[in-house]
Amino acid sequence: FPMELGLRGKHVIVTGGGTNIGRAIVHAFGTEGSRISIAELVPEQGEKVAAEVADMDTGAVVNVIPTDVTDPERVATMIEAAIAKYGPVDVLVNNVGWTVDRLFMEKPRSEWEREVQVNLWGAINCIHAVLPGMIERESGSIVCISSDAGRMGEYREAVYSACKAGVIALSKSVARETGRYGIRLNVVCPGLVVPPDEEEISGESMWTEMRSIFTEEVKEKVERNYLFRRMGKASEVANAVVFLSSDAASYITGQTLSVSGGYTMM
């Protein structure tokens, strides 16, 4: 029997849905025919992804809401706008992330502070804003994008790793507190996913600076660390997110899944 994911017509919020993994997650929910709210710091980038989903002709609809996840008031406004457009929120995907690779002792405090604000406070703000409605309805699924950096501690990513480990623990704790309401929280940890050169990225994306670091030579070195001798694709991460969001994962909560070609085995 084919697996029935039950996501057609479900309302899904994806933060940072305009670039790379977020874009692939929106595409994947688009394939399922969901109603999608993209919460995006650069709305023009989200609109491009919305147009791509419209071209799929699957019955999916997409709304783009300008959002800064580091600002709890703007997050609350985003949730209200999303509900006004597509009704109660069935799924929240906390996808937004930001870092710049540097050695801990060479990194300016301003970068640490932004990493904490985006990667940890962003998830806290979004979970806190969406939970009241899910508790009231006694249903809902939240999937957070962490990183294998948060499971093992990654070279040149000290504070980012700390934040991503925090997202894992945050998700487990909230899963314990809200399981009685039928709410599930799970975490997906990608390995390195570099957006392909043809994908447009906004000036606010971490990849504006980072993509230049990953030359073909550097990519080849990185790929040797993966069992499959290649880096993962954004679509491969998105597939795991969609599964964990869906009715097919109805008895899965508080779990952390690495989608990283065996880079970590924990």
Side-chain angles (χ1 to χ4, degrees):
F1 296 101
M3 188 178 291
E4 178 51 61
L5 295 179
L7 289 165
R8 179 161 297 280
K10 292 288 179 76
H11 183 191
V12 181
I13 295 176
V14 181
T15 68
T19 304
N20 201 21
I21 292 172
R23 172 176 175 255
I25 291 168
V26 173
H27 282 188
F29 280 109
T31 301
E32 295 294 322
S34 303
R35 293 176 295 164
I36 306 158
S37 296
I38 299 177
E40 177 58 62
L41 186 62
V42 184
E44 311 85 71
Q45 203 65 34
E47 295 292 353
K48 290 172 188 169
V49 178
E52 291 165 359
V53 173
D55 288 344
M56 292 179 180
D57 198 25
T58 60
V61 288
V62 182
N63 181 41
V64 180
I65 307 170
T67 311
D68 178 353
V69 297
T70 69
D71 183 337
E73 290 184 9
R74 289 183 68 179
V75 169
T77 300
M78 176 271 289
I79 297 292
E80 289 171 9
I83 291 170
K85 182 77 173 178
Y86 293 142
V89 181
D90 298 295
V91 178
L92 166 67
V93 181
N94 281 316
N95 165 73
V96 168
W98 187 88
T99 189
V100 177
D101 275 18
R102 294 189 214 281
L103 292 171
F104 179 70
M105 294 303 292
E106 295 176 1
K107 209 165 168 67
R109 176 166 289 274
S110 60
E111 286 183 3
W112 294 342
E113 290 176 350
R114 188 172 183 195
E115 283 169 335
V116 174
Q117 283 292 328
V118 174
N119 298 302
L120 186 54
W121 272 114
I124 292 169
N125 292 337
C126 292
I127 291 171
H128 188 261
V130 83
L131 271 181
M134 289 184 171
I135 289 170
E136 185 179 341
R137 294 171 59 233
E138 297 196 351
S139 71
S141 176
I142 298 172
V143 178
C144 293
I145 303 299
S146 176
S147 169
D148 268 6
R151 306 193 82 175
M152 59 180 282
E154 187 57 275
Y155 184 70
R156 294 169 61 92
E157 293 182 355
V159 173
Y160 175 78
S161 296
C163 293
K164 290 301 192 179
V167 167
I168 293 170
L170 170 71
S171 300
K172 289 179 179 180
S173 295
V174 178
R176 292 185 189 280
E177 293 183 12
T178 60
R180 73 191 73 177
Y181 305 111
I183 296 166
R184 299 183 301 106
L185 287 93
N186 291 290
V187 179
V188 171
C189 291
L192 179 64
V193 177
V194 179
D197 291 340
E198 64 269 18
E199 183 183 333
E200 287 188 48
I201 53 177
S202 75
E204 293 291 333
S205 170
M206 72 186 216
W207 289 107
T208 306
E209 183 171 340
M210 292 270 282
R211 192 150 64 177
S212 61
I213 296 170
F214 289 98
T215 61
E216 289 308 312
E217 183 183 2
V218 170
K219 283 185 197 171
E220 284 175 18
K221 283 183 182 175
V222 170
E223 286 170 346
R224 287 199 288 271
N225 291 312
Y226 290 94
L227 304 190
F228 298 137
R229 300 299 186 266
R230 68 172 178 86
M231 282 188 281
K233 296 180 239 173
S235 61
E236 292 172 315
V237 178
N239 289 341
V241 172
V242 168
F243 167 69
L244 288 172
S245 301
S246 76
D247 295 343
S250 57
Y251 205 55
I252 300 175
T253 193
Q255 302 305 306
T256 305
L257 175 65
S258 284
V259 182
S260 59
Y263 185 61
T264 61
M265 298 187 183
M266 297 185 183

